[in-house]
Amino acid sequence: NILTLLAIPYVRLKYGSQFSVLKLNSVVLILHLSLADLLYTLVGFPHFVQVYFSRECLQDVRLCYFLGMFRNLVAYVDFNTIAMISCCVARHNLCGQCEGASHSHDDHDKIFGGKRIYLVCLAIWVVSFLTILPDVMGVTGVYTWSCSPSGCEHICFDEVCSNIGPLITVMNNIIFMVIFYAVIVIQLFRKRNKVSEKPEFLNMLWSIYLTISLLIAAYIAFLIPPSWGNWPFKTNWPYKTKAIISSIYWWMYGINFFIYLATSSRIRQAYRQFIKDMLKKMFQKSTEKQRNDQTDTSVDDIGLKGIPITGEAGIVERELKEQLTS
């Protein structure tokens, strides 16, 4: 996630003409997804490790409340962003004005176009907060110690949670993802006869098929453990087994990176270009520093550094320093 947040903006700014596909606003949503994944892991994963080794609750009730609430908020931001990516890509491919074949689609997209993409990101956070608002206010549940490997988590007051907002959000996201990507594939099949280069079309079609399969499979598979509720944690299974079941859910916050890495050649090239440039800059700085150190050492060895010399000797000293530096 850190690599994504560094590499893609860097390439968009420095090599924009070479990576035109990465300048689409759908890539902004991918960056937003990586940001949500990073926030979830930075805040939640240390707590997960702490709970596994200490197996004790946090003494600070307010800190426990914040951890549970923020983790759930970012989780729904993550879910909703994945759905928005599918919607954004679908609108691009179904656009009647550019027929999905133009990189300038964002100029006339009335929802995701231009700077409006940042309003979409803001709206994702607002909708996600409204989803958990009843629990934040303590109406339908509370964020506290769960007596499980999940640590500080949402606990319902009743055996069956009355806040159905999270369930509706998850189900809607899955349904819309399937619909949006299915429409994309159908539209591509309809355009098959208009595509002059069959291999390029087949590669694009396979890439979308693969993205659909992996995203939906990962989204559903990694949501199974939390959908079980606390049932696994009420059994007599070993604590390590319960922790493994809980950790399956965490993979969802890193798997998106591998999915886009595997299905997008341009993102892979962006990673390589960024790493190559960073290594080149580091090597240049190291070489310059080593060269300067050698120059200073050489001057010290012949007794010229720090000694004020005038006249012809001074001219010779300056010429010698220039030769050593070059």
Side-chain angles (χ1 to χ4, degrees), residues 58-91:
L58 295 175
Q59 299 298 325
D60 193 333
V61 177
R62 292 183 179 179
L63 179 59
C64 190
Y65 172 88
F66 170 78
L67 283 174
M69 183 271 293
F70 188 77
R71 269 173 41 195
N72 276 265
L73 172 62
V74 177
Y76 288 109
V77 169
D78 192 277
F79 304 158
N80 293 331
T81 302
I82 294 175
M84 287 298 101
I85 290 174
S86 64
C87 180
C88 181
V89 174
R91 284 181 60 85

Side-chain angles (χ1 to χ4, degrees), residues 30 33 82 85-86 89 93 177-178 180-182 184-185 188 203-220 255-265 267-268:
I30 292 178
L33 178 64
I82 294 175
I85 290 174
S86 64
V89 174
N93 284 269
M177 281 178 59
V178 173
F180 287 140
Y181 279 119
I184 293 172
V185 173
L188 286 174
N203 290 335
M204 180 172 57
L205 190 62
W206 166 249
S207 175
I208 293 178
Y209 263 132
L210 191 60
T211 302
I212 294 171
S213 303
L214 294 178
L215 276 175
I216 295 177
Y219 196 72
I220 296 175
I255 199 66
N256 297 321
F257 163 80
F258 296 102
I259 291 175
Y260 292 116
L261 180 67
T263 57
S264 176
S265 60
I267 290 182
R268 289 197 299 270

